[in-house]
Amino acid sequence: MLSPFLQERYSRLFPSEVIEGLTRPVKQAIRVNTIRADPGALIKRLRAKGFRLSRVPWTEYGYSVEKEPFSIGATTEYLLGYYFLQDPASMHACEVLDPKEDELVLDMAAAPGGKTTYLAQRMGNRGAVVALELNRERIRSLRSNVTRLGLENVIGVRMDALRVGELKLQFDRVLLDAPCTGTGTLPKSPQAGQKGPEDVERCTRLQAQLLEKACSVLRPKGLLLYSTCSVLPEEDELMVQWALDSLPLRLEKVEHGEPALAECYGQRLRPEMKRARRFYPHLHGTQGFFMALMRKG
Ligand SMILES: C[S@@+](CC[C@H](N)C(=O)[O-])C[C@H]1O[C@@H](n2cnc3c(N)ncnc32)[C@H](O)[C@@H]1O
């Protein structure tokens, strides 16, 4: 299931319970779309259809699916845009970035739009979320999700986020949910288990370039949320360490989740790295996920 490269990395980095957790499927979760539905009324409707749902306490609108009589993605309520299927850690990234109504927000790697649509929802259909996506098929799925969820404050643009400077805009908040190896999502994407050093190198090169662009279009004192669904420190702590060393950014604290690694591969990281957070299946019931909140200037 795991490439020799990942086996070697994981055994150096993690105890066995972490590795076991990363290879076991996690529960599905939904995020109530408050633009279209009232959370209490929706949960009542879904329970009446036989779904068993439980609140994810550290998210605002997240519910784990404990039992489904049929697929939770095949209900009328889903088609009506009353909720979105989303991992709770991914929901939480948007809660941590916490965009305000009337702000200008950038999502640099947006499709299929789980985070874009939650940012737009949290902004109450006000302000604007500029959602960039390079892949033509994937931006279609973003646009259809935006429409289904009834959001009118999202501008989906098919473009390379490395060219974001050409938009000549400065953003109040930026989300960089970076293209990554996906090593935190093995049960859902088994191909992520086959990644080798060349994949990590390709991803980290792009991540550093995207971080630099993100910082360049962020207004002074603006907030940048960097996240990945990878558990490899090369894409997480070491990437943030590079950003803090090279760009005018400082780390802000994230409340929930496990503090990020203090050291890896025998290297001690900056002491403030613990403000960034990791999410693990065996502890949080989520996919493997990393997030770091940084302020410019
Ligand atoms: C981790 S996924 C994003 C998931 C999304 N944020 C969500 O929550 O639904 C990363 C996305 O970045 C896109 N991508 C890769 N390179 C890009 C680039 N240079 N510019 C814009 N998007 C890019 C990929 O096609 C992929 O859809």
Side-chain angles (χ1 to χ4, degrees):
M1 177 151 191
L2 286 181
S3 64
F5 168 74
L6 286 182
Q7 270 176 27
E8 185 268 340
R9 281 292 197 266
Y10 281 19
S11 62
R12 279 170 76 187
L13 289 164
F14 304 125
S16 58
E17 67 269 23
V18 175
I19 303 173
E20 271 165 41
L22 288 168
T23 52
R24 248 186 280 121
V26 292
K27 282 182 199 152
Q28 289 202 91
I30 63 167
R31 182 245 305 165
V32 180
N33 174 24
T34 49
I35 300 294
R36 287 254 201 252
D38 167 73
L42 172 66
I43 299 309
K44 215 166 141 192
R45 262 173 87 153
L46 292 174
R47 284 187 179 142
K49 290 187 171 180
F51 291 94
R52 184 133 48 83
L53 302 155
S54 63
R55 278 271 294 119
V56 180
W58 45 273
T59 64
E60 234 174 298
Y61 304 112
Y63 292 79
S64 291
V65 182
E66 307 292 344
K67 189 187 117 192
E68 50 181 5
F70 56 95
S71 168
I72 189 95
T75 66
T76 315
E77 290 79 4
Y78 177 80
L79 295 173
L80 289 169
Y82 290 3
Y83 61 91
F84 195 82
L85 298 181
Q86 189 171 28
D87 188 88
S90 166
M91 296 177 208
H92 195 56
C94 304
E95 292 167 356
V96 169
L97 186 59
D98 195 21
K100 307 293 182 220
E101 283 189 2
D102 297 325
E103 282 188 337
L104 184 58
V105 175
L106 174 68
D107 185 347
M108 294 182 83
K115 296 184 193 67
T116 299
T117 55
Y118 192 21
L119 294 171
Q121 167 184 337
R122 293 184 70 80
M123 291 161 72
N125 241 344
R126 309 265 306 268
V129 182
V130 177
L132 309 184
E133 171 57 49
L134 186 58
N135 182 290
R136 190 183 294 275
E137 292 307 314
R138 288 175 67 87
I139 194 135
R140 283 200 190 117
S141 70
L142 176 129
R143 290 196 176 118
S144 90
N145 283 325
V146 165
T147 307
R148 186 170 56 80
L149 297 185
L151 295 161
E152 293 160 358
N153 56 346
V154 175
I155 306 160
V157 186
R158 189 176 82 83
M159 73 178 272
D160 185 342
L162 293 174
R163 297 175 56 189
V164 64
E166 292 172 21
L167 297 178
K168 307 251 181 288
L169 293 170
Q170 286 275 296
F171 295 89
D172 298 301
R173 293 174 207 242
V174 175
L175 172 67
L176 173 55
D177 184 39
C180 69
T181 55
T183 48
T185 63
L186 299 180
K188 215 170 69 183
S189 326
Q191 73 283 5
Q194 296 313 307
K195 301 289 173 173
E198 62 292 346
D199 299 299
V200 177
E201 206 182 304
R202 185 173 37 78
C203 288
T204 52
R205 205 176 316 118
L206 179 58
Q207 287 155 1
Q209 290 172 331
L210 288 169
L211 270 166
E212 199 173 350
K213 294 294 171 196
C215 186
S216 72
V217 295
L218 187 61
R219 73 158 166 79
K221 309 268 181 267
L223 284 169
L224 164 64
L225 194 284
Y226 174 78
S227 61
T228 74
C229 57
S230 168
V231 291
L232 292 175
E234 289 88 334
E235 301 178 85
D236 297 339
E237 288 86 351
L238 292 174
M239 190 50 59
V240 169
Q241 175 119 330
W242 172 83
L244 297 175
D245 289 345
S246 324
L247 303 169
L249 293 171
R250 55 198 162 77
L251 257 183
E252 301 269 317
K253 190 168 179 215
V254 174
E255 285 301 325
H256 297 289
E258 281 292 285
L261 302 180
E263 61 172 20
C264 60
Y265 309 131
Q267 177 187 349
R268 275 214 79 73
L269 300 167
R270 281 170 172 253
E272 72 266 34
M273 193 59 71
K274 58 179 180 298
R275 295 182 189 158
R277 296 286 150 156
R278 282 179 164 252
F279 290 80
Y280 292 112
H282 74 296
L283 291 179
H284 309 104
T286 64
Q287 61 182 28
F289 200 80
F290 173 87
M291 64 181 85
L293 182 68
M294 291 173 268
R295 191 178 289 280
K296 182 169 174 179

